[in-house]
Amino acid sequence: MIGVLVVDDDFMVSRIHRGFVEQVPGFRVVGTAHTGQEAIDAVAALAPDLILLDLYLPDMFGLDVVVRLRAAGHDCDVMVITAAKEADAVRSAVRHGVVNYLLKPFGVDDLRQRLEQYARRRTGLGEMRVQVRDQADVDRALARAAAPAVGLPKGLSPETARLVEQALRSAAETLSAAECADRIGISRVSARRYLEHLRDSGRAEVRLRYAVPGRPEHRYRWVSG
């Protein structure tokens, strides 16, 4: 699980963002903070993997929080969530190494896509060996890290997509469309569409099984996040 600290000066907004995060599989909120100093103290106490950081805090600018965290040796990642549209703010955030910059107001799907993108990047870099074998190892890790968030094709539902993803994640090895359909109660054709979407977005891979005469069976395996 990826631990998230939500930092926003507005208590209601903080509660909403917490609810958004908790809808995304693989993420959990470890705490909230409403000032820059509270955020710094919470990082020291809770060691989150990711901070959702508002820039307009009552005691300091959000990016100053990042500077102080780095000076204290904390290497948690930071995703800015803010109403700040100034180009200087965006450029400064990039210079400070933020993993994404999301403008308020936003919906749960906007945040979900960015969190899933972050999870893929984290997985891609985390799977690198202590010592890489060759340039191909580096290129594969960086390609996964840079993979953009992919929205759902028309006609696919986010709720069903999450059920299919959870079924594939929990499979011991591989899963066919028919097996997936049985697990979550949808048609085999629908399950196949969702599984193909996961494959197209780089989160699953497909293997062919030639166990019986006729057309090979497509078997899917989760590979990211």
Side-chain angles (χ1 to χ4, degrees):
M1 296 290 285
I2 296 174
V4 179
L5 175 68
V6 176
V7 182
D8 198 289
D9 67 320
D10 188 311
F11 284 74
M12 182 60 70
V13 170
S14 176
R15 188 176 301 116
I16 291 171
H17 292 171
R18 178 176 192 137
F20 283 177
V21 172
E22 291 175 343
Q23 293 183 47
V24 183
F27 290 82
R28 66 185 180 96
V29 175
V30 297
T32 58
H34 307 291
T35 70
Q37 187 58 54
E38 284 183 7
I40 293 167
D41 294 341
V43 169
L46 302 172
D49 302 299
L50 176 68
I51 306 173
L52 299 188
L53 180 65
D54 188 14
L55 294 186
Y56 297 137
L57 300 173
D59 56 341
M60 66 182 78
F61 191 56
L63 294 179
D64 293 333
V65 173
V66 180
V67 172
R68 292 178 58 176
L69 289 174
R70 298 296 180 249
H74 300 296
D75 62 355
C76 49
D77 293 317
V78 176
M79 183 183 300
V80 167
I81 49 173
T82 183
K85 298 181 180 180
E86 298 83 2
D88 285 346
V90 178
R91 282 192 292 265
S92 182
V94 171
R95 286 195 297 270
H96 282 79
V98 303
V99 299
N100 216 312
Y101 193 106
L102 182 57
L103 287 174
K104 298 177 179 178
F106 54 83
V108 62
D109 288 336
D110 296 319
L111 182 59
R112 178 184 294 112
Q113 286 188 355
R114 284 157 179 81
L115 290 177
E116 290 174 346
Q117 179 183 15
Y118 169 75
R120 290 195 295 274
R121 179 187 300 121
R122 181 182 174 88
T123 299
L125 296 178
E127 289 178 352
M128 288 185 70
R129 297 172 176 84
V130 173
Q131 182 174 355
V132 298
R133 294 173 301 181
D134 50 31
Q135 183 64 43
D137 276 349
V138 178
D139 292 343
R140 276 191 293 270
L142 294 180
R144 177 174 289 183
V150 180
L152 286 173
K154 186 176 180 180
L156 298 190
S157 125
E159 293 76 15
T160 305
R162 286 196 291 276
L163 291 175
V164 171
E165 177 180 323
Q166 289 167 2
L168 192 57
R169 282 173 178 262
S170 63
E173 293 185 358
T174 60
L175 198 65
S176 70
E179 292 166 344
C180 180
D182 288 342
R183 290 191 183 193
I184 64 176
I186 61 175
S187 71
R188 182 187 61 80
V189 172
S190 293
R192 178 74 176 270
R193 288 189 65 198
Y194 285 95
L195 290 166
E196 285 294 308
H197 167 66
L198 291 174
R199 185 199 65 174
D200 293 343
S201 62
R203 289 172 285 173
E205 65 180 14
V206 64
R207 298 175 179 177
L208 300 181
R209 176 185 289 179
Y210 296 88
V212 293
R215 296 180 63 183
E217 181 184 41
H218 288 70
R219 308 286 305 183
Y220 298 85
R221 185 176 75 88
W222 182 258
V223 297
S224 174

